[in-house]
Amino acid sequence: MPSNTTASSPKKKKGRRGRLLVIVLVLALLGGIGYGGYWGVDAVRASFPQTTGEIDIPGLEGRVEVKRDDYGVPQIYADSDADLFRAQGFVQAQDRFWEMDVRRHMTAGRLSEMFGSGQVKTDAFLRTLGWRNVAQEEFKTQLSKETKAYLKAYADGVNAYLKGKEGKELSVEYAALALTNDYKPEPWTEVDSVAWLKAMAWDLRGNMQDEIDRALMEPRLDTKQIDQLYPDPYRQKKPIMGNGAVDESEGVFDPKADPSDNKRDGDNSGGRGSQLDNSNGNGNSNGSGSNDSGSDSGSGSDSGQGGTGEGSGLAGNSGPGEGFTGGTDAADAVEGVNTQLAGIAESLDGIPALLGPNGDGIGSNSWVVSGSLTTTGKPLLANDPHLAPQLPSLWYQMGLHCRKLSDTCKFDTAGFTFSGMPGVIIGHNRDIAWGLTNLGADVTDLYLEKVSGDSYLTDEKNNREERLTTRREVIKVAGGKPRTITVRTTKRGPLISDRSTELENVGVRAPVDNSAPDRATGYGVSLQWTALRPGKSMDAIFALNRAKDFPSFRQAAAKFEVPSQNLIYADKRGKIGYQAPGWIPVRAQGDGTRPVPGWDPAYYWKQHPVPFEEMPYEEDPERGYIVTANQAVIGKSYAHLLTKDWGYGARSERINHLIEQKTKDGGKISTEDMRTMQMDNRSEIASLLNPILIKLDIKDPNVREAQKLLEGWDYSQEPDSAAAAYFNAVWRNILKLAFGNKLPKELRAEGDCLSVSPLDEAGPDDQIEPVIECGERDGESAQPDGGDRWFEVVRSIYQDEDNPWWTSPASRTDKATKTRDELFARAMEDARWELTAKLGKDMETWSWGRLHQLTLKNQTLGKEGPGVLQHLLNRGPWNLGGGEATVNATGWNAASGYDVVWVPSMRMVVNVGDWDKSRWINLTGASGHAYSAHYTDQTDKWAKGELLDWSFTEKAVEENTVDTLTLVPSEEAEAPDSTEAPDPAATNESADTAEPQE
């Protein structure tokens, strides 16, 4: 039967006239927007989904109901798994197809087909990584027959929606794209869904940015200084688990065992370190011949000297150094690798960070509390992943319900999904609940490669070479000619250094020891990454959705190979638990903190990753709760090296404290208490520094007036707090003066220009002409970002009032600083005038929220499109509380400003067993259609910390249903098989048909 397009429920008519008027007004602006195009109201409303009546869907086995509540959140009811996932694909495409389409083009390295030549460089890097190729191999060789069937049903549902639609019928963005492009969407394929897991894994890949940053610091800082900027993450904060060890006799992890003393795999503190350490020869500041890296052959010595405290001191200072030296030999030696890594860092910035910036303080919160400590008598589970703010939100709320569970219909689950992927990522079913945070495992390594023609050196001692694997990729460009690139790959992974013009002569003067092979025209840089190996993570999603107890939950987790996540668990029987899954490499040598020599087999990964049976887990711990917030999983004595670069635990420590305070003396935690904890705004670094700041003797009356704001402040960063605004400005300026001005340009924010001593000149300071050096890093990933790593850096030195980090050079208006209090006083002055410029002279008008704003931007045309189009698609700003490394983690980067750059992308509190009393909220809304009632209808409540009711049982869902759409089997032939669609990865063409390379 034909589609029956019925009006939506009367409940949703309120405010429609107002929205229609807004649409008319803003679209009137577009009447003459170039190209002679005119958009009417129908161009915006044409793509709004039908949410009532009936629609024929080819391939359905039975009738499927889609019930939506006041916020447009769908709950799907079907009688078979195939119908459930076919309907999920159809409904997600109704609301979010533009988002889905952009994502699949990103994962395939095909953004240029939609957006033109400006995306060629990004596409080239993504083609080099080969996400799409790996996903294709994963689908063909690794996934179960059952998972493939679910993926096919989902793809068929998407294609049923696409059939007969184009342009404005899909979304307003396609109408805009049609002004400059003849792009038309292709059918959806199973691999389009699988490839999205690679994008997840990329943004959650661990310490690759830290690995690059350490190497980039070497021209300006020596190894001791760099180590000071990466403190021991175990020093202050508790790991997730206090107990547990691998039982070596059984080869399994025992969560109740006392921490063992055995030497862990990959911990080479007693052996050889990387040949690529700072080429002072040893990494210390006096030029001696040994350090903690050991003294085996192949490391530890070089002809360079570190100096003895004379010279340029910290970069940015013009006076004599005070133990902070590098020497010109070291600077000359690292310049080549510095250039290549800076180019890679630039390429990384160019990749759309769909999950968020990759830096300090970023992460997620999840915790679960046993029923013995709750008012419900059953577990309560909270989760709020911290990701990039996006419009629409990365998450999509949804319920997937079999009307009756059976062998052919196995799902009754609800939670947060990704548009473009079947199943539920975070949520609960009728038996268990689960949440995710990023484990932060080190699953990438960078290798310097000695490349000669079409070969590369694999064993320098035995003079062994292997041929590079090459393939050509043709990048189609909207409005332009195709571009061809050649991707070269080692047995470890792709040569990512090929993807930057700055890297053509890579490693010209890389910091290696005397035994390294001849550099000739330089070294390449290859990437080894666990996600470039086909796996079974998609199988894990469906297994989690069906798990009934802790053993089946762990069996599902065993397949969750990439990205590696912290999984927390609770069930209706009262059990709580935790599992760390994932492919974690075992390194025979090195610790993953710096690039390593590809010509030394000692640094290769072992064949097999850490066995799942030996990965940490726990169930029903005696303390009665489990907190994961990206801190270390387990103590240093654990048998395997998971990473050296854990989060520093500011959020986890605060959550632990809040739980302990609430439950002392027999107290119980409620669902509302869990929500309140999620909104905790306390600043840990303020509690450390504020007592010092308020005691400083400030002479300037204007600065003294600002200082008074901090007196009596409780360290809470509420949106209306003037004290929070001033403190965070002081903190930003402390970081800039003490650390930021001493970092190399490759780490500082774009536009941050300093007068510094050039790296390639030696001699007395008064004879060296300073140069202007401007920052090159994208603002969202620049350093110092002010995250909890920087909390620990400052904590480690704040009591040492004469520490050399407190030195800063004189400016036109300020004297040089030599002590902590002098630098703090200068930061307070700089902050006073910065806020005067931003917020006005009258401090009564100051507030943290006016500085700390969230603007939601459409992830494509809302960032790069014409200004009027951005106005159409973007929303905000919202004045927010919270901040960097607080539980309410509305992150900002201190190196570039105060704007919100990552957020709790959703929040949920699951009332385990009494599912209908659970609560949830999304950052934006269900719809990706601009001017839909559900585009940002949850954002105001999200900003205030409110949660929405989360119906799960059929009765509760029915009571809250506003619109019901019925999908019915079509009498027509089935939609085209998704597997017959052109494979977007099939863009590898032979050289004789390709355009000239770039």
Side-chain angles (χ1 to χ4, degrees):
M1 67 182 67
S3 299
N4 178 12
T5 306
T6 309
S8 298
S9 165
K11 286 186 181 181
K12 299 173 70 176
K13 290 184 178 178
K14 184 179 180 181
R16 178 165 291 173
R17 289 184 179 179
R19 287 195 305 276
L20 184 59
L21 178 61
V22 171
I23 294 171
V24 171
L25 289 174
V26 297
L27 290 177
L29 297 173
L30 296 176
I33 190 173
Y35 316 109
Y38 176 81
W39 290 0
V41 174
D42 68 315
V44 171
R45 299 186 63 180
S47 61
F48 287 6
Q50 178 183 334
T51 58
T52 62
E54 294 184 351
I55 298 179
D56 295 349
I57 302 295
L60 281 180
E61 299 167 359
R63 295 171 69 88
V64 178
E65 292 177 303
V66 182
K67 300 183 178 184
R68 294 181 185 255
D69 64 13
D70 266 326
Y71 290 88
V73 174
Q75 305 281 343
I76 299 177
Y77 289 85
D79 293 318
S80 71
D81 292 338
D83 280 0
L84 199 61
F85 293 119
R86 188 174 282 107
Q88 184 182 16
F90 183 89
V91 171
Q92 287 190 344
Q94 278 188 307
D95 284 335
R96 300 280 193 93
F97 183 72
W98 168 261
E99 175 191 21
M100 294 163 59
D101 201 16
V102 172
R103 282 183 183 174
R104 67 166 166 176
H105 278 77
M106 189 273 289
T107 58
R110 300 175 63 208
L111 291 170
S112 301
E113 295 179 25
M114 297 181 77
F115 305 112
S117 59
Q119 297 298 322
V120 168
K121 184 174 180 181
T122 297
D123 283 347
F125 195 86
L126 292 168
R127 295 284 186 97
T128 299
L129 293 177
W131 294 351
R132 175 78 189 195
N133 297 340
V134 178
Q136 186 78 42
E137 186 68 16
E138 198 161 283
F139 178 77
K140 288 181 177 179
T141 66
Q142 296 295 314
L143 299 183
S144 69
K145 183 177 180 180
E146 187 176 55
T147 293
K148 290 180 180 180
Y150 297 156
L151 288 165
K152 182 181 185 304
Y154 181 90
D156 288 346
V158 175
N159 292 329
Y161 169 75
L162 290 177
K163 187 176 182 181
K165 294 183 176 68
E166 63 180 25
K168 67 183 182 182
E169 296 173 299
L170 293 171
S171 79
V172 69
E173 290 93 339
Y174 288 106
L177 209 61
L179 297 175
T180 59
N181 195 341
D182 59 358
Y183 171 79
K184 289 180 174 54
E186 297 169 350
W188 193 263
T189 74
E190 297 96 318
V191 178
D192 292 332
S193 296
V194 178
W196 175 237
L197 287 171
K198 302 306 171 186
M200 287 177 58
W202 177 256
D203 277 2
L204 301 175
R205 63 192 179 273
N207 78 333
M208 181 174 166
Q209 192 66 61
D210 288 326
E211 189 173 339
I212 292 172
D213 286 357
R214 283 186 177 96
L216 291 175
M217 289 179 185
E218 290 180 348
R220 294 287 180 187
L221 304 174
D222 65 29
T223 300
K224 180 180 178 181
Q225 296 161 342
I226 294 171
D227 288 345
Q228 289 173 341
L229 300 185
Y230 289 87
D232 182 355
Y234 293 97
R235 183 186 300 166
Q236 291 286 333
K237 306 298 191 292
K238 302 174 184 176
I240 295 171
M241 301 174 54
N243 291 322
V246 174
D247 184 332
E248 294 183 0
S249 63
E250 299 291 333
V252 297
F253 184 83
D254 180 358
K256 298 185 182 300
D258 289 333
S260 63
D261 294 326
N262 61 302
K263 180 181 175 183
R264 65 183 177 207
D265 290 346
D267 186 351
N268 302 298
S269 58
R272 175 171 60 177
S274 171
Q275 293 179 359
L276 310 180
D277 286 343
N278 185 306
S279 60
N280 291 348
N282 41 45
N284 60 26
S285 61
N286 62 12
S288 65
S290 64
N291 71 351
D292 290 342
S293 297
S295 57
D296 283 355
S297 62
S299 73
S301 66
D302 197 299
S303 59
Q305 295 180 356
T308 57
E310 299 292 324
S312 61
L314 281 164
N317 292 355
S318 58
E322 297 187 49
F324 289 88
T325 60
T328 59
D329 289 341
D332 183 68
V334 301
E335 182 179 336
V337 77
N338 189 53
T339 300
Q340 61 184 286
L341 292 175
I344 292 173
E346 181 184 1
S347 296
L348 299 185
D349 282 339
I351 296 177
L354 292 184
L355 304 188
N358 194 285
D360 305 305
I362 305 167
S364 305
N365 301 324
S366 67
W367 66 96
V368 60
V369 182
S370 169
S372 63
L373 300 176
T374 68
T375 59
T376 66
K378 291 290 180 70
L380 295 173
L381 185 150
N383 198 185
D384 56 290
H386 307 157
L387 306 172
Q390 298 181 36
L391 182 59
S393 166
L394 183 80
W395 300 104
Y396 185 87
Q397 295 154 289
M398 182 173 249
L400 301 172
H401 307 280
C402 289
R403 294 188 180 99
K404 181 179 179 180
L405 293 180
S406 67
D407 290 341
T408 58
C409 203
K410 307 181 183 71
F411 295 86
D412 188 11
T413 185
F416 292 87
T417 73
F418 290 134
S419 301
M421 272 181 57
V424 170
I425 306 300
I426 296 174
H428 69 82
N429 58 32
R430 62 173 61 182
D431 297 306
I432 76 164
W434 67 94
L436 305 178
T437 62
N438 191 26
L439 182 68
D442 185 356
V443 295
T444 61
D445 273 340
L446 295 174
Y447 289 83
L448 285 193
E449 305 287 0
K450 173 56 181 171
V451 178
S452 301
D454 59 0
S455 300
Y456 65 105
L457 190 63
T458 59
D459 186 342
E460 190 260 340
K461 288 184 178 179
N462 295 301
N463 197 29
R464 291 177 183 164
E465 292 187 349
E466 293 191 22
R467 290 181 65 85
L468 290 162
T469 300
T470 63
R471 70 177 189 274
R472 286 196 168 183
E473 297 268 358
V474 178
I475 300 172
K476 298 177 182 178
V477 181
K481 294 181 179 180
R483 315 290 176 85
T484 300
I485 63 169
T486 298
V487 177
R488 302 190 295 172
T489 305
T490 72
K491 64 181 179 182
R492 286 177 295 276
L495 276 172
I496 57 175
S497 54
D498 284 351
R499 294 286 75 84
S500 171
T501 55
E502 297 180 2
L503 306 181
E504 291 177 358
N505 294 317
V506 292
V508 173
R509 290 185 295 273
V512 295
D513 73 356
N514 292 335
S515 66
D518 177 28
R519 318 170 190 275
T521 57
Y523 301 130
V525 180
S526 69
L527 169 68
Q528 187 165 17
W529 177 33
T530 56
L532 297 182
R533 164 184 167 184
K536 300 178 182 294
S537 292
M538 188 62 76
D539 286 345
I541 302 299
F542 298 115
L544 274 175
N545 289 185
R546 296 191 304 254
K548 296 180 178 298
D549 50 29
F550 195 56
S552 57
F553 166 80
R554 293 193 66 218
Q555 289 169 8
K559 300 175 183 178
F560 209 128
E561 296 155 338
V562 293
S564 186
Q565 300 287 288
N566 294 306
L567 297 177
I568 60 167
Y569 168 93
D571 65 35
K572 63 184 183 182
R573 301 172 189 83
K575 182 179 289 293
I576 65 172
Y578 164 82
Q579 177 69 58
W583 275 340
I584 315 297
V586 177
R587 296 171 174 86
Q589 186 71 287
D591 61 11
T593 60
R594 285 179 169 84
V596 293
W599 52 82
D600 188 344
Y603 290 95
Y604 293 1
W605 290 358
K606 293 186 177 180
Q607 182 177 0
H608 299 292
V610 176
F612 177 78
E613 294 77 14
E614 298 183 12
M615 291 290 288
Y617 79 94
E618 66 179 342
E619 54 183 317
D620 291 331
E622 186 176 342
R623 63 187 178 278
Y625 58 89
I626 302 168
V627 176
T628 81
N630 314 110
Q631 77 273 36
V633 170
I634 195 168
K636 286 184 178 181
S637 60
Y638 175 62
H640 302 289
L641 175 64
L642 300 180
T643 185
K644 288 272 191 173
D645 289 311
W646 295 111
Y648 284 81
R651 287 177 286 107
S652 63
E653 196 77 357
R654 179 63 177 167
I655 296 167
N656 274 289
H657 174 77
L658 292 171
I659 294 173
E660 290 165 4
Q661 289 296 109
K662 190 66 182 180
T663 57
K664 70 179 182 180
D665 302 324
K668 302 287 186 179
I669 293 175
S670 67
T671 304
E672 176 61 15
D673 291 329
M674 298 284 275
R675 183 200 68 81
T676 302
M677 291 177 190
Q678 288 181 325
M679 294 302 296
D680 184 81
N681 285 333
R682 180 182 170 89
S683 169
E684 179 187 358
I685 192 62
S687 68
L688 184 74
L689 299 185
N690 202 64
I692 299 172
L693 298 175
I694 61 176
K695 293 178 181 179
L696 294 180
D697 184 15
I698 302 297
K699 304 297 185 184
D700 187 315
N702 292 297
V703 182
R704 171 64 186 134
E705 184 185 15
Q707 184 185 36
K708 289 180 180 179
L709 293 173
L710 303 179
E711 297 174 359
W713 179 43
D714 64 358
Y715 316 135
S716 181
Q717 301 172 95
E718 297 299 328
D720 61 355
S721 171
Y726 182 56
F727 174 81
N728 283 318
V730 174
W731 170 237
R732 166 171 148 82
N733 281 280
I734 287 173
L735 290 169
K736 178 179 174 63
L737 291 168
F739 308 106
N741 290 353
K742 296 152 188 170
L743 296 178
K745 63 183 179 181
E746 293 85 1
L747 271 68
R748 300 199 314 273
E750 290 178 327
D752 179 12
C753 299
L754 300 172
S755 176
V756 299
S757 299
L759 288 173
D760 56 355
E761 293 189 24
D765 285 349
D766 58 3
Q767 296 180 18
I768 297 177
E769 190 72 24
V771 297
I772 300 298
E773 208 175 64
C774 295
E776 299 175 349
R777 182 68 64 83
D778 179 82
E780 292 187 359
S781 56
Q783 295 294 335
D785 61 17
D788 56 2
R789 171 164 69 89
W790 294 98
F791 290 10
E792 296 308 316
V793 170
V794 171
R795 188 197 304 276
S796 69
I797 64 172
Y798 85 105
Q799 292 178 318
D800 179 4
E801 297 184 30
D802 298 315
N803 191 285
W805 286 109
W806 303 131
T807 61
S808 65
S811 69
R812 290 180 300 168
T813 57
D814 295 290
K815 297 179 180 178
T817 67
K818 295 183 179 180
T819 69
R820 179 199 68 192
D821 289 356
E822 289 175 352
L823 185 138
F824 281 17
R826 181 168 165 183
M828 293 180 77
E829 178 183 0
D830 291 349
R832 170 54 161 116
W833 301 120
E834 181 185 5
L835 294 199
T836 298
K838 290 179 178 293
L839 302 178
K841 187 175 181 180
D842 183 1
M843 290 190 303
E844 292 186 3
T845 68
W846 289 6
S847 70
W848 177 225
R850 284 182 62 202
L851 272 183
H852 190 53
Q853 294 186 323
L854 168 67
T855 299
L856 292 171
K857 297 182 179 181
N858 180 287
Q859 289 301 289
T860 51
L861 300 180
K863 287 186 173 182
E864 304 294 338
V868 176
L869 190 58
Q870 292 185 36
H871 177 78
L872 274 172
L873 299 176
N874 299 341
R875 298 292 182 271
W878 283 265
N879 296 348
L880 298 186
E884 183 71 20
T886 61
V887 180
N888 181 24
T890 56
W892 54 286
N893 189 309
S896 57
Y898 304 95
D899 287 343
V900 176
V901 296
W902 61 86
V903 294
S905 55
M906 64 79 160
R907 299 185 184 102
M908 74 175 192
V909 177
V910 182
N911 199 315
V912 178
D914 197 353
W915 306 113
D916 292 330
K917 292 184 179 178
S918 300
R919 311 273 286 165
W920 62 354
I921 195 82
N922 205 349
L923 172 64
T924 60
S927 180
H929 299 289
Y931 296 99
S932 162
H934 305 304
Y935 194 45
T936 56
D937 59 339
Q938 298 187 45
T939 308
D940 285 345
K941 291 181 179 295
W942 173 91
K944 296 173 184 176
E946 299 177 17
L947 299 176
L948 304 177
D949 292 334
W950 180 357
S951 300
F952 178 72
T953 64
E954 188 171 8
K955 179 181 178 182
V957 169
E958 186 63 37
E959 289 175 352
N960 288 284
T961 293
V962 171
D963 288 342
T964 299
L965 172 68
T966 303
L967 307 179
V968 299
S970 173
E971 297 176 1
E972 302 174 12
E974 290 194 14
D977 191 331
S978 61
T979 58
E980 296 176 1
D983 182 3
T987 52
N988 305 350
E989 300 184 12
S990 62
D992 56 356
T993 62
E995 296 291 330
Q997 293 191 50
E998 286 204 349

